Amino acid sequence: IHGYRSFHEPKLPKDETLQKVLAGEGGADPWTEPSGKRLRLGLVGHFIKKPDKQNPAYVCRHYRLRRDLYHQRRALIAVSRHYPHLRRYLTGFDCAANELHAGPEVFAPLYRQLRFDRQDNFTYHVGEDFIHLLSGIRAVYEALTFLGLRSGNRIGHGSAIGIDPGLWREVMGRNVVMTRQDRLDDLTVVRRLLLEANGGTALLPLIDSEISILSRAIYDQSHPPDLLYEAWSLRHLDPLCLYRMGGRINIMDDALTAEFDLFDTEKTSNPAAFDLFRRYHSPETIEKGRKLAVIDSTKEKLSDELLTRLQDHVLGEIGRRGVVIETLPTSNVRISVYQNYSQHHVFRWLGLTGDSPPVDVVVGSDDPGIFSTNLRNEYEHLLRELSVKCAPPRRNPLDFLEGLITNGKTYRFRQVP
């Protein structure tokens, strides 16, 4: 705000303070109708992922974060009502920070409630931090389904559905250590995706066997894979509703009323799956699921070809929903498995390598301060590699770059009127 104010200082009336301008007091707001080359301020609100510090007194997974998100949304509503002009600057919402700290299920109720508040521009950072490639693929799929991402919404990074599986195996090594719950969730979701993608059916007996063992270890009973998947699909619900949050605490909040109604509908439609959903949030299940398992990636029987098919299946879903992937090349090269820009998966998404389904891509700089870059640098890095990977005159590298720039303009988050 202060940097924007400095840029526009000559344009502001001398007798106007920043507070009055933001509140829409004392005349017209000179920032709402930029002219010429003046900048237009657009802010994306970030909700932060935090680790689950489980306490026996808490009633569900990520209890503290879920409550914090509830209060943050309420505070946002209060500020918006007091300063209605602020809605012109708040263009969208994102969830950032370490992805291993909290998954999309935690933010699903928040995104629904924000949509109820007439917010439509959403992005979600996912598929960058993952223990196992299957976990990263699952996380992207969860973001699509649990958060209800749709046309014009974004996925930040998405590396798990772009990285070459062979390169991932080579860099990560043979053994992967992860929790039992994550492994069970990976296999449950991947099993369904393999069936939808018409691939890997010969592996189903092996997958079903491991699912049965993990289910017994975590839930004390070997539940059918389909039931486990149905219970997984209920994780978009707000588990705080299990305990009524002290009753329907604010009947004037229509978004919360809708949340309770959705919860009650799902509860009655599939009692067996709902019981597993309830147990998933119990302290006993959490404790059992946190025990570690060592996965030998060389013995999984999931070939690179099958992993690629899973990635392409999720990419296809992204395309069908009209969701855009925001790729961040320098960030990925500096903190991911890549040694140089030529290995980056964006060229796969652009159709220059592999046979993945088409998907719309925009370019971002992630955190310019940390990675010492900006959007111009990102385009320069991509153009350099495009000049090598394209074969003029059949394919002009500038055509690809122009497409990325056009996507950035087309899919930018616009201000709320």
Side-chain angles (χ1 to χ4, degrees), residues 51-267:
D52 187 13
K53 297 180 179 179
Q54 189 68 25
N55 184 307
Y58 293 168
V59 298
C60 65
R61 296 173 187 265
H62 291 283
Y63 172 81
R64 188 189 300 275
L65 177 55
R66 292 176 190 273
R67 291 290 294 182
D68 287 348
L69 294 174
Y70 164 77
H71 290 299
Q72 288 166 11
R73 172 182 165 268
R74 296 294 298 167
L76 179 66
I77 292 174
V79 171
S80 296
R81 288 174 179 171
H82 193 68
Y83 298 108
H85 278 55
L86 283 178
R87 289 181 64 89
R88 299 178 181 178
Y89 308 111
L90 190 60
T91 61
F93 295 94
D94 187 10
C95 293
N98 191 329
E99 296 173 31
L100 301 180
H101 288 169
E105 65 185 70
V106 180
F107 299 91
L110 171 70
Y111 275 44
R112 278 195 299 273
Q113 291 161 28
L114 288 172
R115 284 195 181 91
F116 211 97
D117 299 334
R118 296 188 299 111
Q119 301 289 346
D120 294 312
N121 296 330
F122 297 100
T123 183
Y124 188 84
H125 275 54
V126 67
E128 179 190 21
D129 306 314
F130 48 90
I131 301 297
H132 194 292
L133 184 56
L134 292 179
S135 303
I137 295 172
R138 170 171 63 88
V140 176
Y141 188 68
E142 287 178 338
L144 288 172
T145 55
F146 292 166
L147 303 179
L149 299 184
R150 54 199 185 194
S151 181
N153 293 164
R154 296 185 177 188
I155 285 177
H157 288 287
S159 302
I161 54 173
I163 188 173
D164 177 71
L167 176 61
W168 174 79
R169 291 185 197 271
E170 177 184 341
V171 173
M172 297 306 297
R174 177 173 179 173
N175 292 327
V176 178
V177 180
M178 59 195 306
T179 67
R180 288 175 174 176
Q181 186 68 65
D182 282 336
R183 181 62 174 174
L184 177 60
D185 292 343
D186 285 353
L187 295 176
T188 299
V189 175
V190 164
R191 180 185 185 276
R192 177 59 62 94
L193 295 183
L194 286 173
L195 289 172
E196 292 178 356
N198 297 317
T201 54
L203 295 179
L204 291 185
L206 291 175
I207 294 176
D208 290 351
S209 176
E210 189 173 352
I211 286 176
S212 177
I213 294 171
L214 289 167
S215 174
R216 183 175 296 278
I218 297 172
Y219 294 104
D220 300 322
Q221 182 179 349
S222 295
H223 296 287
D226 287 340
L227 179 60
L228 289 167
Y229 181 83
E230 292 166 1
W232 167 86
S233 68
L234 294 179
R235 293 185 193 174
H236 69 96
L237 298 175
D238 189 348
L240 294 178
C241 294
L242 280 167
Y243 301 90
R244 293 292 154 184
M245 299 167 63
R248 296 200 175 203
I249 54 180
N250 192 339
I251 198 64
M252 299 302 293
D253 191 332
D254 292 336
L256 284 182
T257 299
E259 201 67 37
F260 280 109
D261 291 342
L262 174 64
F263 188 87
D264 290 338
T265 298
E266 296 283 12
K267 180 180 179 179

Side-chain angles (χ1 to χ4, degrees), residues 243-296:
Y243 301 90
R244 293 292 154 184
M245 299 167 63
R248 296 200 175 203
I249 54 180
N250 192 339
I251 198 64
M252 299 302 293
D253 191 332
D254 292 336
L256 284 182
T257 299
E259 201 67 37
F260 280 109
D261 291 342
L262 174 64
F263 188 87
D264 290 338
T265 298
E266 296 283 12
K267 180 180 179 179
T268 56
S269 63
N270 193 337
F274 187 86
D275 182 63
L276 272 181
F277 165 78
R278 178 185 58 78
R279 292 184 62 190
Y280 168 74
H281 285 283
S282 69
E284 297 82 5
T285 300
I286 294 173
E287 186 63 28
K288 292 176 182 178
R290 280 181 172 172
K291 293 184 178 180
L292 299 178
V294 179
I295 311 302
D296 187 338

